[in-house]
Amino acid sequence: MNKGELIDVVADATGITKSQASDAVNAVFDGIEKTLKKGDKASFVGFGTFQKSHRAARDGRNPATGATIKIAAKNLVKFKAGKALTEAMN
């Protein structure tokens, strides 16, 4: 499923226009993004938790030449599925 398909599902399920559904989906994504940027986690009971994680700088290797390279530190987003979502998959 991509964002467009999610917007279609929201519009059909709620009976609102696709434009309104797009605004709603974008608002949810923006809210999650702002929460993660602050360093907090976004938890949705039964669905899962989005959390910001930091990966430290490290040395790596160029697979083509074998030369050692520096890989910069960066922030990642990790998702842990909730119990209800996990059970629905099994």
Side-chain angles (χ1 to χ4, degrees), residues 7-71:
I7 290 169
D8 291 341
V9 169
V10 171
D12 291 342
T14 60
I16 59 177
T17 66
K18 286 187 181 182
S19 176
Q20 292 170 324
S22 177
D23 291 343
V25 169
N26 287 330
V28 170
F29 290 162
D30 290 343
I32 293 170
E33 181 180 335
K34 287 177 186 175
T35 299
L36 294 174
K37 281 184 177 179
K38 289 191 302 186
D40 297 334
K41 56 182 168 177
S43 298
F44 305 98
V45 176
F47 181 73
T49 301
F50 294 91
Q51 186 170 357
K52 180 178 165 181
S53 177
H54 182 75
R55 182 180 291 169
R58 63 192 193 280
D59 291 334
R61 294 218 176 261
N62 181 331
T65 64
T68 301
I69 58 172
K70 297 283 185 186
I71 300 172

